[in-house]
Amino acid sequence: MPPPSDIVKVAIEWPGANAQLMEIDQKKPLSSIIREVCDGWSLSGSEQFALRYADGPQLYITEQSRSEIKNGTILRLAISPARAARQLLDRIQSHGIDARLEALKELAKLSADPTFATEFISMEGIGTLARLVESGTHFGEMLAFTLTAFLELMDHGIVSWDLISLSFIKQIAGYVNQPMVDVSILQRSLAILESMVLNSHSLYHRVAQEITVGQLIGHLQVSNQEIQTYAIALINALFLKAPEDRRQEMASTLAQKHLRSIILNHVIRGNRPIKAEMAHQLYVLQVLTFNLLEERMMTKMDPSDQAQRDIIFELRRIAFDGENDPSGTEKRKAMYTKDYKMLGFTNHVNPAMDFTQTPPGMLALDNMLYLAKLHQDTYIRIVLENSSREDKHECPFGRCAIELTRMLCEILQVGELPNEGCNDYHPMFFTHDRAWEEFFCVCIQLLNKTWKEMRATAEDFNKVMQVVREQITRTLAMKPSSLDQLKGKLRGLSYSEILRLRQSERMSQDDFQSPPIIELRERIQPEILELIKQQRLNRLCEGSCFRKLGNRRRQEKFWFCRLSLNHKVLHYGDLDESPQGEVPFELLTDKIPVSDIKSVVTGKDCPHMKEKSALKQNKEVLEQAFSILYDPDENLNFVAPNKYEYCIWTDGLCALLGREMGSDLTRSDLDTLISMEMKLRLLDLENITIPEAPPPVPKEPSTYNFTYNYG
């Protein structure tokens, strides 16, 4: 007979004594259990003690968290959080340097525990740590542990960052601005400043006054990638929180300090592989840089603005006059109608009207002027080449440039906030100071080339744009390292190659609609679906690694989950680093019986998605989040590393619970496997009779006669 679900068997340790093996009744108050443990070792004053986990983060066990204790867990009897907080607070204010250092080491470790943090903060502990930093008397290890404890305590969100004093900010900023400072102190100082900027509008202004961009850029030229990551994270935070009127100014300063080339040479092309958090920070910087284009993208052209109209005149002049025409501004607009038509504008009389839609607004005109001035030969060749074609085959440069700009804004998500956990940065955008404009110039040449290859007419405009979008997105997925490499990969993705790829992909997931094929499909679908279910369950048995979210110190933390081979228990546990291959069951200390699972929820229905702030509830994280709800009213929360793993796990859990799978990946797998199986079985059909032509007046419906040979 299985033991009651409320009874948990554990081992409890106490320094200098033999461990106690005991059964914990989860219905009894925690204080009663602690009293029993203390009585076992003849310890008085049980209210001064608490239970902690012996392994992992060694968190305190509370009435709220006690349900997480599993059979076989090793616990440790320790002094209570309040008592520990009082002792450490007294010791860090003592006069003995060695005693103070040991106290700060212990404090840095315990501060990650929310129960301890609450007690320590209630005793004005954060103020004490802040005064130690402000005094400037702590150095080396002692200062590093002080800063670590301070950051851990503040990360719990118990107190507001707005309470931080200006003298504290100046002291932390001083560590960042010093030419030579200990790496551990610099790392924590950068992390503290980043948290200040992200969590307080008022502190942003104070930090921005104390930190020089030049000094932050200097930290990118070191060999320590963690310091580089923290420095870019702080630059991103300052960029993200800056008022709109300050962002362009900050971008100009960063350009003057050669931020892009320093990142390219010392980070992207460095001798070390790019870690996940560094890739994320590069992605964030890329997004924030492109977001500077949003203002122009959302600005309509004012047809009555002479300065804006002069830009269009300049486009016409470069294309057709070659030299400055002094009488150009005096000519009536009607005289330019033919030229504007040849330039490919939709409105030949007043082309300014073409730029009144947002997006892309004035950004399209900016791109066209850049091409005309910086790549004049290419611009003139495209315009004149199309003006010499037949009317129906000419590629309208103006219309194409406007639509292409809109497309590039969509592909690169201009104006959208960065996604948490996304690492999709493109090295080639760090190889040129005007990467956006150069990217446009490459793509407009691609569009003109594809138009010719398709022998397109004006009616084919949307079809051409669809092909060009596919060419660009496929090439970006290859992550070209430079603009030259981008050009080479685009040359390899000609229109004929796109057709070949489409045909190949279509053949691999053909969906024949003739009656015999539909019947065959219905026959084999159940066994294929069962095959997919087994594959999903096998993948759950192999297990997957998941990243923990919400860690502001940019240190990767992971946990692993896998299904037991008999499909009865889910095992999971924390890891210090991402594993290479499978993780043994012995290292996964926690488990959930499958019989206890009540349901699986996804997206915004997940408990951890409801708790996150609006800024963090970005689309990508929501689409890859899922939770297991199990008895008694507990949950295990996931954010999959990618869409594939999300589908594998949600499908596998549904199969485990005997419910219907429904992810896009399942449908795709199903269609692919059915098509493959159908092709194999159709080769074995012994007899297919299809009438050559229907009779003129059929007396009864035509029929198909077949015999399936399943082998």
Side-chain angles (χ1 to χ4, degrees), residues 427-465:
M428 70 176 182
F429 290 131
F430 292 88
T431 62
H432 200 285
D433 288 329
R434 303 291 296 272
W436 166 265
E437 291 86 349
E438 290 292 323
F439 184 46
F440 168 83
C441 293
V442 172
C443 293
I444 194 68
Q445 293 178 74
L446 168 72
L447 196 160
N448 189 58
K449 174 174 171 284
T450 302
W451 186 283
K452 289 189 291 185
E453 290 174 349
M454 294 178 66
R455 298 183 61 79
T457 63
E459 289 76 17
D460 302 317
F461 184 85
N462 290 333
K463 294 180 182 178
V464 175
M465 296 308 297

Side-chain angles (χ1 to χ4, degrees), residues 27-80:
K27 293 180 179 178
K28 293 177 63 175
L30 189 58
S31 58
S32 299
I33 296 171
I34 294 173
R35 189 181 306 113
E36 289 180 19
V37 175
C38 290
D39 291 344
W41 283 310
S42 301
L43 298 173
S44 59
S46 62
E47 66 278 359
Q48 297 293 319
F49 293 91
L51 291 175
R52 289 168 58 185
Y53 289 99
D55 300 320
Q58 301 182 6
L59 299 177
Y60 279 102
I61 295 169
T62 64
E63 288 288 357
Q64 292 73 31
S65 65
R66 62 184 295 182
S67 59
E68 299 174 6
I69 302 174
K70 308 298 179 185
N71 281 320
T73 302
I74 301 177
L75 305 179
R76 178 176 298 158
L77 184 67
I79 60 175
S80 67

Side-chain angles (χ1 to χ4, degrees), residues 516-532 670-682 708-710:
I517 299 300
I518 292 174
E519 184 178 344
L520 178 58
R521 183 184 183 87
E522 292 173 351
R523 282 173 178 262
I524 64 178
Q525 181 163 327
E527 59 188 270
I528 296 295
L529 188 58
E530 184 61 31
L531 178 65
I532 293 175
L670 186 63
D671 290 341
T672 300
L673 287 171
I674 287 177
S675 297
M676 292 170 62
E677 185 73 6
M678 286 167 62
K679 290 172 185 175
L680 291 173
R681 294 190 180 187
L682 285 172
Y708 297 109
N709 179 9
Y710 290 104

Side-chain angles (χ1 to χ4, degrees), residues 348-566:
H348 306 154
V349 177
N350 186 6
M353 299 301 296
D354 287 17
F355 301 95
T356 56
Q357 289 189 355
T358 58
M362 290 294 290
L363 185 59
L365 188 58
D366 295 342
N367 286 340
M368 295 165 70
L369 186 62
Y370 181 89
L371 175 69
K373 286 193 169 184
L374 275 297
H375 298 274
Q376 194 169 118
D377 291 343
T378 300
Y379 169 69
I380 293 173
R381 176 177 55 79
I382 291 176
V383 173
L384 296 183
E385 187 179 275
N386 284 290
S387 64
S388 62
R389 291 182 190 165
E390 299 177 32
D391 284 349
K392 66 177 184 177
H393 286 294
E394 64 182 10
C395 177
F397 169 74
R399 183 185 177 193
C400 287
I402 293 170
E403 188 58 35
L404 177 63
T405 301
R406 189 201 321 273
M407 180 196 297
L408 297 182
C409 289
E410 292 174 359
I411 292 173
L412 296 176
Q413 299 179 330
V414 175
E416 296 187 18
L417 285 174
N419 286 327
E420 185 176 319
C422 182
N423 302 334
D424 190 24
Y425 82 98
H426 296 280
M428 70 176 182
F429 290 131
F430 292 88
T431 62
H432 200 285
D433 288 329
R434 303 291 296 272
W436 166 265
E437 291 86 349
E438 290 292 323
F439 184 46
F440 168 83
C441 293
V442 172
C443 293
I444 194 68
Q445 293 178 74
L446 168 72
L447 196 160
N448 189 58
K449 174 174 171 284
T450 302
W451 186 283
K452 289 189 291 185
E453 290 174 349
M454 294 178 66
R455 298 183 61 79
T457 63
E459 289 76 17
D460 302 317
F461 184 85
N462 290 333
K463 294 180 182 178
V464 175
M465 296 308 297
Q466 289 172 6
V467 173
V468 171
R469 176 186 282 270
E470 188 172 346
Q471 290 171 313
I472 293 171
T473 53
R474 285 181 183 270
T475 303
L476 286 177
M478 302 177 197
K479 293 296 178 70
S481 60
S482 66
L483 290 166
D484 287 337
Q485 196 175 101
L486 171 73
K487 295 175 186 177
K489 292 185 180 298
L490 285 173
R491 280 194 295 271
L493 274 179
S494 62
Y495 174 57
S496 59
E497 178 64 12
I498 291 293
L499 289 180
R500 189 192 68 77
L501 290 171
R502 285 179 174 179
Q503 181 67 15
S504 174
E505 291 167 0
R506 192 179 299 118
M507 288 298 293
S508 67
Q509 28 184 307
D510 256 336
D511 188 12
F512 303 110
Q513 295 300 317
S514 60
I517 299 300
I518 292 174
E519 184 178 344
L520 178 58
R521 183 184 183 87
E522 292 173 351
R523 282 173 178 262
I524 64 178
Q525 181 163 327
E527 59 188 270
I528 296 295
L529 188 58
E530 184 61 31
L531 178 65
I532 293 175
K533 287 182 179 180
Q534 291 304 317
Q535 184 267 348
R536 297 292 193 268
L537 291 173
N538 290 340
R539 278 287 288 108
L540 263 61
C541 291
E542 294 174 9
S544 297
C545 180
F546 301 91
R547 187 173 70 89
K548 288 193 171 183
L549 294 181
N551 181 21
R552 290 197 179 279
R553 286 168 303 289
R554 310 299 176 192
Q555 296 169 349
E556 288 293 323
K557 292 187 179 180
F558 304 91
W559 66 288
F560 197 89
C561 187
R562 63 182 298 195
L563 178 66
S564 63
L565 300 180
N566 61 6

Side-chain angles (χ1 to χ4, degrees), residues 169-331:
I169 297 173
K170 287 180 177 292
Q171 192 68 38
I172 297 296
Y175 299 137
V176 174
N177 290 329
Q178 287 178 15
M180 296 294 292
V181 68
D182 184 82
V183 169
S184 58
I185 295 173
L186 175 59
Q187 182 187 70
R188 288 156 179 78
S189 297
L190 288 167
I192 289 173
L193 291 174
E194 182 200 1
S195 291
M196 287 180 183
V197 171
L198 292 176
N199 289 285
S200 171
H201 179 71
S202 61
L203 290 186
Y204 156 77
H205 293 285
R206 294 180 181 179
V207 172
Q209 290 172 356
E210 298 295 331
I211 293 296
T212 64
V213 173
Q215 189 62 41
L216 289 178
I217 291 177
H219 293 311
L220 298 176
Q221 302 178 58
V222 300
S223 58
N224 187 318
Q225 190 173 123
E226 282 198 6
I227 294 298
Q228 292 176 324
T229 303
Y230 281 98
I232 296 180
L234 181 52
I235 291 173
N236 286 338
L238 290 168
F239 219 140
L240 183 64
K241 293 298 181 178
E244 291 187 13
D245 57 342
R246 284 266 302 138
R247 289 178 189 168
Q248 290 290 351
E249 180 184 336
M250 185 176 175
S252 299
T253 304
L254 293 174
Q256 293 170 9
K257 298 292 184 179
H258 307 292
L259 173 66
R260 178 199 59 76
S261 59
I262 289 172
I263 289 177
L264 180 66
N265 295 323
H266 293 273
V267 179
I268 296 175
R269 293 179 179 171
N271 296 322
R272 303 171 304 281
I274 302 293
K275 294 182 180 179
E277 187 53 41
M278 173 60 85
H280 172 68
Q281 293 302 336
L282 292 174
Y283 154 78
V284 172
L285 181 59
Q286 173 186 292
V287 171
L288 296 177
T289 303
F290 283 147
N291 282 357
L292 294 173
L293 304 168
E294 183 181 12
E295 182 181 357
R296 295 293 285 174
M297 180 182 76
M298 300 308 294
T299 300
K300 297 181 180 181
M301 186 171 186
D302 181 0
S304 63
D305 188 320
Q306 185 60 45
Q308 295 181 3
R309 292 165 57 201
D310 285 345
I311 299 176
I312 298 178
F313 294 157
E314 183 69 2
L315 290 174
R316 190 208 65 80
R317 183 196 65 76
I318 294 174
F320 301 115
D321 291 350
E323 301 262 339
N324 281 325
D325 182 0
S327 63
T329 56
E330 299 174 2
K331 292 183 179 179

